[in-house]
Amino acid sequence: DDHDNNSYLISLREGLFQLDDKYPRPDFIFINLGGDPYEKDSLKSSELIKLNRDQMLQRNKMLYRFVKEINVPTLWTMGGGYGEFSFETYVDFFESINDQVREADTFEVV
């Protein structure tokens, strides 16, 4: 619901369980790690949900754990996030998983 920051993470977790039930083994996952819900985002159209920095990190780590558990190739992109503070949530996330990501987890297509 609009302005319901408290249930956002709960709803996301429930949605991930539903995805896993409906599509138990997809070939590929594309995650657009949007920054619009961040409370410091300056995009006017994203004012309905305003997550703090810790909530954004919880969201991102929840997605990361989900795709690691089902062991599906995943492409992560940084999308959305407007204003001078939008980088904070991406930096927080990538720093939090830095020690878990191995070279074998990444590849480059040329």
Side-chain angles (χ1 to χ4, degrees):
D1 294 332
D2 296 349
H3 307 289
D4 191 2
N5 296 343
N6 294 328
S7 68
Y8 177 87
L9 294 173
I10 294 167
S11 296
L12 174 61
R13 185 178 62 223
E14 290 171 357
L16 292 174
F17 287 132
Q18 290 173 12
L19 276 176
D20 194 33
D21 286 343
K22 190 169 183 176
Y23 306 103
R25 185 70 184 148
D27 295 327
F28 183 79
I29 297 175
F30 179 92
I31 295 180
N32 181 5
L33 201 60
D36 296 354
Y38 185 34
E39 67 185 353
K40 292 183 180 179
D41 189 273
S42 61
L43 186 66
K44 295 292 182 201
S45 64
S46 63
E47 292 181 353
L48 299 178
I49 296 290
K50 291 292 185 184
L51 304 179
N52 64 38
R53 200 165 167 175
D54 185 56
Q55 290 169 317
M56 290 292 289
L57 181 58
Q58 288 178 51
R59 178 203 70 170
N60 298 342
K61 289 172 75 172
M62 184 185 307
L63 291 168
Y64 182 76
R65 282 190 303 271
F66 174 75
V67 298
K68 290 297 272 187
E69 285 175 12
I70 63 174
N71 195 27
V72 171
T74 305
L75 172 68
W76 294 81
T77 65
M78 298 176 287
Y82 301 88
E84 64 180 299
F85 300 103
S86 62
F87 73 94
E88 293 174 335
T89 62
Y90 303 124
V91 170
D92 290 345
F93 171 62
F94 290 116
E95 283 182 345
S96 76
I97 65 167
N98 186 47
D99 62 340
Q100 300 170 43
V101 177
R102 301 169 315 198
E103 189 173 320
D105 292 330
T106 62
F107 62 92
E108 182 177 336
V109 177
V110 287

